[in-house]
Amino acid sequence: MTNQEKEIIRLLICDDQDIVCEGLRAMLAPVRQIEVVGIAKNGMEAVDQARRLQPDLVLMDLKMPKMNGIQATKTIREQFPDVRVLVLTTYDADEWVINAIRNGAAGYLLKDTPQEELVKAILDTVKGWNPIDPQVAGKILERVACQPSAAPTDGKLISQLSEREREVLRLLANGLGNSEIAQTLFLSEGTIKNYVSVIFSKLGVTDRTQAAILAIRAGLANP
């Protein structure tokens, strides 16, 4: 059974503040689609519990003792590629945002995100979407827009794509979901999913956010 078909999402919360962990647990308790299966107080615990509990998703803080959230995200994504990581933190500084995404975070939300939006983000992340807080997204795009040109490796990566794959990537980078891309190109959603998987493989990325950043940097889409 794929994550998209799961009725109950197994969630691991990682934050070094007890009040945050318990607050999130209480907030999510009434949501029937989500089961909090564990609490980790630092990145090392998160990696260990990801191994033992096999969650579908980790809600990950960033600044923590022993191992921070970026390091933990990288380790979890390398060792357990089926586990998605959604960053939930108070830090929206450029470097933290970029580094978390580079190391495999599927999305990035701030801790003042309303309950309804957090629940939706959790559900969407497990389905394969990449929710990004609007404030954070602005910083990412601003950072990318300030880069004068694509890195040499970007051009080599893009050159591997077929014309159709480039078109799919351009639409993806402009914020369209698979169903919207399918409608735009008059193709089935399943076909678009296959294209997206191939694009990720050729570009060496793991999610839509990383692909979008590369596409924008290479001039395929506007920031």
Side-chain angles (χ1 to χ4, degrees):
M1 180 178 292
T2 64
N3 280 345
Q4 288 90 335
E5 295 170 327
K6 284 179 177 290
E7 293 186 1
I8 303 296
I9 295 169
R10 295 171 56 80
L11 179 71
L12 171 64
I13 297 172
C14 181
D15 196 292
D16 62 339
Q17 297 184 31
D18 289 338
I19 190 170
V20 172
C21 293
E22 294 308 319
L24 288 169
R25 191 203 293 269
M27 179 189 298
L28 297 173
V31 183
R32 67 173 184 82
Q33 303 103 311
I34 299 172
E35 177 188 3
V36 177
V37 295
I39 300 289
K41 300 300 178 64
N42 57 63
M44 291 181 65
E45 288 187 11
V47 173
D48 180 63
Q49 293 200 39
R51 180 181 298 107
R52 292 190 299 105
L53 301 174
Q54 299 183 344
D56 301 304
L57 178 69
V58 181
L59 270 186
M60 182 75 73
D61 191 19
L62 289 183
K63 290 191 176 181
M64 296 179 293
K66 297 185 179 180
M67 178 187 286
N68 67 39
I70 292 174
Q71 295 167 323
T73 295
K74 183 176 187 294
T75 302
I76 288 171
R77 292 293 296 155
E78 288 176 346
Q79 296 186 11
F80 319 107
D82 290 336
V83 178
R84 306 274 283 172
V85 177
L86 177 59
V87 170
L88 183 66
T89 185
T90 56
Y91 302 99
D92 63 349
D94 292 4
E95 287 304 321
W96 285 98
V97 174
I98 298 296
N99 284 335
I101 292 171
R102 280 175 177 165
N103 284 280
Y108 199 113
L109 299 179
L110 300 180
K111 285 183 179 177
D112 59 0
T113 299
Q115 177 181 0
E116 296 79 8
E117 292 182 20
L118 175 59
V119 171
K120 184 177 186 301
I122 291 171
L123 301 179
D124 287 348
T125 301
V126 173
K127 292 176 182 176
W129 292 86
N130 300 90
I132 302 287
D133 184 281
Q135 298 178 59
V136 175
K139 286 181 176 289
I140 294 174
L141 295 181
E142 182 179 335
R143 172 77 172 269
V144 173
C146 288
Q147 297 180 3
S149 60
T153 53
D154 293 343
K156 291 182 180 179
L157 292 172
I158 295 297
S159 69
Q160 301 178 68
L161 304 181
S162 68
E163 183 176 349
R164 176 65 82 184
E165 288 164 354
R166 292 189 191 194
E167 182 64 12
V168 171
L169 178 59
R170 183 184 68 80
L171 295 172
L172 180 156
N174 284 330
L176 275 66
N178 287 349
S179 62
E180 296 170 307
I181 296 175
Q183 292 174 14
T184 301
L185 299 180
F186 302 102
L187 298 170
S188 71
E189 188 170 351
T191 298
I192 297 302
K193 288 181 179 178
N194 290 336
Y195 272 123
V196 170
S197 294
V198 171
I199 290 168
F200 285 3
S201 177
K202 288 184 176 180
L203 298 183
V205 301
T206 58
D207 59 51
R208 301 173 80 89
T209 303
Q210 293 175 335
I213 290 174
L214 194 152
I216 293 170
R217 200 163 57 206
L220 283 183
N222 295 321

